Amino acid sequence: TCLESILNENIPDRTFPETVNKTDFESVLVLAQNIADNHLRPYANELDIASVPPYASVQMIAQSGLLGLTTPMKYGGLEAPGAVVRRYTEIMSGACGTTTFVQGQHLSACTLIATGENETLKEQTLPSFAEGSRICGIAFAHVRKPGAPVLRATDQTDFYEFNGVASWFTGWGIMTDVLIAATLPNGNFVYGVI
């Protein structure tokens, strides 16, 4: 892999030869270490100062199957226990903080969706998120902002209508989807995948 392709290609179509073994978490961590040592660490400094997101490195992780780490097996994920997710994060962040931060947004989104109550949403999103064919970022930091909500939602019976602005979306340009939150009139939050 050359640095130019990592920095300039918009989710390249190359494939990563190794994929996860869904029944062996040790092999998951070995694969993560291989990616970290051989494909992330050599380019970490360049990725950290680049003016573009780490398209190719996130796509490589997606192709390996590691983006399914936090998704339940029922939806095609690995359903890794917390200790494995923590070790995975330690391995990846030790190699490239930028890549780890961006792909971590996907893992967080999958966890939030999987622990939610909307079974239809889980069935419609989690299988493709787990296999990495769709990558989900998050945009909900704005709900913690003091003052009037910047993104509001109203219940329209069959759907929620979102109005306003989410000023920050981690993974813009890489992600195909976003898990976004808005404030309801009663002060509660509603999350949606767009």
Side-chain angles (χ1 to χ4, degrees):
T1 305
C2 69
L3 176 59
E4 185 176 287
S5 70
I6 287 178
L7 295 176
N8 297 325
E9 289 186 28
N10 187 1
I11 305 183
D13 60 2
R14 68 188 167 139
T15 58
F16 188 70
E18 295 181 63
T19 58
V20 294
N21 176 341
K22 292 188 176 190
T23 60
D24 177 10
F25 291 121
E26 186 60 34
S27 73
V28 168
L29 296 176
V30 168
L31 175 58
Q33 191 71 60
N34 176 17
I35 291 171
D37 291 344
N38 298 309
H39 302 281
L40 298 180
R41 186 170 286 111
Y43 306 105
N45 289 336
E46 290 85 354
L47 287 168
D48 283 347
I49 62 172
S51 60
V52 296
Y55 299 112
S57 54
V58 172
Q59 185 60 30
M60 180 184 298
I61 294 167
Q63 291 170 350
S64 75
L66 291 171
L67 288 185
L69 198 64
T70 61
T71 301
M73 285 187 203
K74 175 180 179 180
Y75 304 105
L78 299 172
E79 200 172 324
V84 172
V85 176
R86 287 187 294 278
R87 181 66 184 125
Y88 166 81
T89 302
E90 181 180 23
I91 289 168
M92 301 305 270
S93 62
C96 180
T98 300
T99 300
T100 304
F101 181 76
V102 173
Q103 64 87 47
Q105 307 309 298
H106 175 88
L107 298 179
S108 295
C110 291
T111 299
L112 288 167
I113 294 167
T115 57
E117 298 175 5
N118 189 332
E119 192 60 38
T120 301
L121 179 64
K122 294 176 193 183
E123 292 170 0
Q124 291 176 347
T125 60
L126 290 176
S128 54
F129 290 168
E131 73 182 13
S133 62
R134 290 169 59 195
I135 305 174
C136 190
I138 56 176
F140 50 76
H142 54 272
V143 299
R144 296 187 306 262
K145 188 176 180 180
V150 296
L151 185 58
R152 297 173 188 265
T154 53
D155 187 347
Q156 302 295 324
T157 308
D158 293 336
F159 63 93
Y160 287 95
E161 182 177 319
F162 284 49
N163 289 296
V165 175
S167 58
W168 187 259
F169 167 31
T170 301
W172 182 265
I174 294 177
M175 309 312 202
T176 58
D177 298 80
V178 59
L179 176 65
I180 193 165
T183 306
L184 293 165
N186 67 4
N188 290 336
F189 306 127
V190 64
Y191 291 80
V193 175
I194 300 172

